[in-house]
């Protein structure tokens, strides 16, 4: 942990080491404490732990352990301040080191990754149904308790139904944040977190992919080959890196009210008459950011163009479609979602749900803090603890395997 330089004179007393505050906040998450007051009381009751984590001791020979633990442990107010203002980049470095340690234990880790998001209720009265509040869910009426939280919609499910479409989801409005994770699972060692990112709750799920993927590649040192996510991540940009690397992105189609695309034997769309359309000019779609191709009526623009069509557009030049021909766009429509390989890959998505369950058990869903900086720091600390537990579990399993 970076500390204050000693090469120049500083006013006041020497501060506690930054790493001591990090260890104290990790203890808060490990013990599932909601409040800083609980953490401080715990530290005061465990003076040897205070000494172990590195707080600068207030020496007192009259005390049992040679120092005044009450005077040593920072005040509630200062611990709460450190929880909010601590540089998250420092915590991210620590989190990434847990991933490197996991890589050392599981060399194949990260070839397949899964994504999910978890809603977080802001600590504001607008989220309390027992409070009478007019226009509770007015996005222009920012809660005074937390200036950084935002109004969003929590969907109870967005799974793929038996008909291949996303099932209808119930909705709940709330003020808050959301955390997104990329996770991985191992059949013996279980689930781990490889990347995490927190945003206000009004951000769409798909916006989590880019920062999570960039963080993941930087941490792992390579690009994962396979991916699984729910229908909220059905965007060609999500498929793109996995299609480029010859992998698969297992994501249900989110048709958004449009009919499912039907393809002909050459991989081109079928028109409403059931004929495979003829490829025409390619161009850069600057508005949507992908390479596109025009498909035209096969009875007017193919080598075997002949006959007629009853479609009303036929006399006006025939049907025309513009399709995404990027690797990700092609994978999105051509992926065989009925195949066993797709189903097995998609099943791994439950790893992220199990991680979210662990995070919820540690209090991530309803943090007793305000301001986005505190929420972000607590989330990173939560995932550090989850990975640390995974490391303990993996090393214990390996010891047991050697003994047996």
């Amino acid at each position: 942990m970076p500390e204050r330089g000693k090469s120049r004179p500083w006013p006041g007393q020497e501060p506690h080491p930054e790493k001591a505050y990090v260890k104290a906040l990790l203890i808060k998450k490990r013990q599932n404490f909601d409040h800083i007051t609980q953490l401080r009381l715990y530290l005061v009751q465990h003076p040897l732990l205070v000494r172990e984590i590195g707080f600068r001791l207030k020496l007192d020979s009259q005390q049992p352990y040679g120092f005044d633990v009450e005077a040593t442990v920072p005040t509630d107010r200062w611990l709460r301040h450190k929880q909010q203002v601590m540089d998250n980049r420092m915590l991210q470095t620590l989190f990434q080191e847990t991933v490197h340690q996991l890589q050392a234990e599981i060399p194949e880790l990260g070839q397949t990754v899964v994504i999910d998001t978890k809603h977080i209720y802001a600590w504001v009265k607008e989220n309390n149904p027992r409070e009478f509040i007019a226009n509770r869910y007015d996005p222009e009426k920012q809660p005074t308790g937390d200036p950084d939280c935002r109004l969003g919609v929590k969907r109870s499910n967005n799974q793929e139904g038996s008909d291949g479409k996303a099932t209808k989801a119930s909705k709940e409005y709330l003020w808050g944040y959301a955390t997104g994770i990329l996770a991985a699972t191992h059949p013996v060692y279980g689930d781990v977190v490889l990347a995490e990112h927190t945003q206000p709750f009004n951000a769409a799920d798909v916006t989590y992919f880019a920062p999570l993927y960039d963080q993941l590649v930087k941490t792992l040192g390579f690009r994962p080959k396979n991916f699984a996510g729910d229908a909220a991540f059905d965007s060609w940009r999500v498929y793109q890196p996995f299609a480029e690397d010859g992998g698969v992105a297992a994501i249900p189609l989110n048709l958004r009210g449009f009919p499912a695309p039907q393809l002909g034997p050459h991989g081109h769309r079928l028109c409403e008459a059931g004929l495979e359309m003829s490829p025409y000019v390619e161009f850069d779609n600057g508005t949507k950011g992908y390479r596109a191709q025009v498909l035209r009526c096969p009875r007017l623009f193919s080598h075997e163009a002949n006959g007629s069509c009853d479609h009303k557009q036929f006399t006006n030049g025939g049907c025309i479609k513009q399709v995404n021909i990027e690797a990700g766009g092609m994978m999105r429509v051509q992926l065989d979602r009925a195949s066993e390989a797709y189903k097995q890959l998609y099943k791994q998505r439950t790893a992220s749900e199990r991680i979210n369950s662990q995070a919820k058990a540690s209090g991530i869903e309803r943090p007793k803090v305000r301001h986005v900086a505190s929420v972000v720091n607590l989330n990173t600390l939560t995932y550090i603890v989850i990975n640390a537990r995974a490391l303990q579990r993996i090393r214990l399993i390996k010891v047991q395997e050697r003994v047996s």
Side-chain angles (χ1 to χ4, degrees):
M1 298 291 104
E3 303 295 346
R4 189 175 75 173
K6 296 183 179 181
S7 60
R8 51 162 286 190
W10 295 88
Q13 296 180 342
E14 183 181 355
H16 293 295
E18 197 71 13
K19 62 183 179 182
Y21 289 107
V22 175
K23 291 177 182 179
L25 292 174
L26 284 170
I27 291 170
K28 177 175 180 281
K29 294 307 302 180
R30 174 63 182 84
Q31 298 300 118
N32 289 345
F33 293 147
D34 288 330
H35 301 281
I36 286 291
T37 51
Q38 295 171 292
L39 170 64
R40 189 175 189 280
L41 177 61
Y42 182 80
L43 292 175
V44 170
Q45 292 173 343
H46 296 79
L48 292 181
L49 182 59
V50 172
R51 180 176 177 178
E52 174 67 24
I53 64 178
F55 280 119
R56 185 171 46 78
L57 304 179
K58 292 284 188 178
L59 300 180
D60 185 347
S61 59
Q62 302 301 315
Q63 299 295 327
Y65 295 100
F67 69 96
D68 186 342
V69 64
E70 181 70 41
T72 296
V73 178
T75 63
D76 295 338
R77 182 169 179 264
W78 188 247
L79 287 171
R80 197 174 295 113
H81 173 74
K82 294 298 291 187
Q83 179 177 254
Q84 178 177 341
V85 304
M86 184 173 287
D87 189 348
N88 187 255
R89 293 173 297 180
M90 182 170 59
L91 298 180
Q92 282 292 332
T93 300
L94 185 58
F95 168 75
Q96 290 163 12
E97 189 56 33
T98 68
V99 177
H100 293 154
Q101 292 289 324
L102 289 164
Q103 279 186 285
E105 300 290 346
I106 311 174
E108 68 273 22
L109 185 68
Q111 292 297 329
T112 297
V113 296
V114 297
I115 196 170
D116 202 5
T117 60
K118 178 77 180 74
H119 63 281
I120 297 172
Y121 292 87
W123 196 21
V124 295
K125 63 181 181 180
E126 283 77 3
N127 284 334
N128 184 354
R130 296 182 180 180
E131 291 271 359
F132 175 76
I133 301 173
N135 302 319
R136 181 189 301 269
Y137 299 124
D138 181 356
E140 301 300 322
K141 190 178 178 182
Q142 181 68 31
T144 56
D146 188 339
D148 301 325
C149 69
R150 293 294 181 268
L151 181 67
V153 179
K154 170 186 171 292
R155 291 175 174 81
S156 63
N157 65 74
N158 50 6
Q159 304 296 312
E160 186 178 6
S162 58
D163 58 355
K165 299 180 180 179
T167 55
K168 187 176 181 180
S170 59
K171 298 180 180 180
E172 175 192 355
Y173 289 92
L174 64 94
W175 289 93
Y177 306 89
T179 175
I181 59 169
L182 282 174
T185 189
H186 187 276
V188 176
Y189 303 131
D191 312 313
V192 300
V193 191
L194 301 180
E196 60 94 14
H197 182 65
T198 300
Q199 298 184 121
F201 197 48
N202 60 343
D205 283 1
V206 73
T207 64
Y208 286 82
F209 176 76
L212 284 171
Y213 184 81
D214 291 344
Q215 181 189 140
L216 176 73
V217 173
K218 180 180 178 181
T219 303
L220 293 181
F222 62 87
R223 288 159 56 123
K225 188 173 182 180
N226 298 314
F227 171 88
D230 62 32
F233 296 93
D234 182 39
S235 166
W236 75 271
R237 296 183 187 276
V238 177
Y239 294 88
Q240 186 70 14
F242 306 100
E244 290 175 345
D245 292 337
V248 175
I251 307 171
L253 268 179
N254 187 348
L255 298 174
R256 300 174 177 87
F258 294 96
Q262 303 296 319
L263 304 179
H266 298 97
H268 300 302
R269 303 286 184 95
L270 300 183
C271 68
E272 294 184 15
L275 302 174
E276 187 170 18
M277 301 185 73
S278 299
Y280 196 56
V281 65
E282 297 181 8
F283 67 98
D284 290 323
N285 190 322
T287 303
K288 297 183 177 180
Y290 56 70
R291 186 74 177 166
Q293 185 175 50
V294 176
L295 302 180
R296 307 200 71 169
C297 175
R299 288 182 170 168
L300 291 175
F301 294 93
S302 68
H303 295 298
E304 298 83 16
N306 60 69
S308 61
C309 181
D310 294 333
H311 194 275
K312 61 182 181 181
Q313 190 63 28
F314 185 77
T315 56
N316 294 324
C319 295
I320 298 176
K321 290 183 182 293
Q322 295 182 4
V323 297
N324 183 338
I325 58 172
E326 297 283 357
M330 298 293 287
M331 175 180 282
R332 179 177 179 270
V333 298
Q334 294 177 355
L335 191 61
D336 182 5
R337 292 174 172 82
S339 69
E340 189 61 27
Y342 171 88
K343 293 177 181 178
Q344 290 301 318
L345 177 56
Y346 188 70
K347 283 182 180 178
Q348 294 192 42
R349 197 182 63 82
T350 57
S352 58
E353 296 175 346
R354 290 190 293 270
I355 291 292
N356 283 340
S357 293
Q358 293 182 53
K360 181 179 179 180
S362 72
I364 200 173
E365 189 174 281
R366 295 181 181 273
K368 299 302 187 287
V369 297
R370 296 183 172 91
H371 302 286
V372 65
S374 296
V375 175
V376 168
N377 282 341
L378 284 179
N379 289 353
T380 306
L381 290 163
T382 298
Y383 296 124
I384 291 171
V385 171
I386 288 174
N387 277 357
R389 287 173 174 159
L391 279 166
Q392 281 187 319
R393 179 175 66 246
I394 293 167
R395 289 166 179 167
L396 178 60
I397 291 172
K398 288 188 173 185
V399 168
Q400 292 172 342
E401 289 174 344
R402 287 195 295 269
V403 171
S404 61

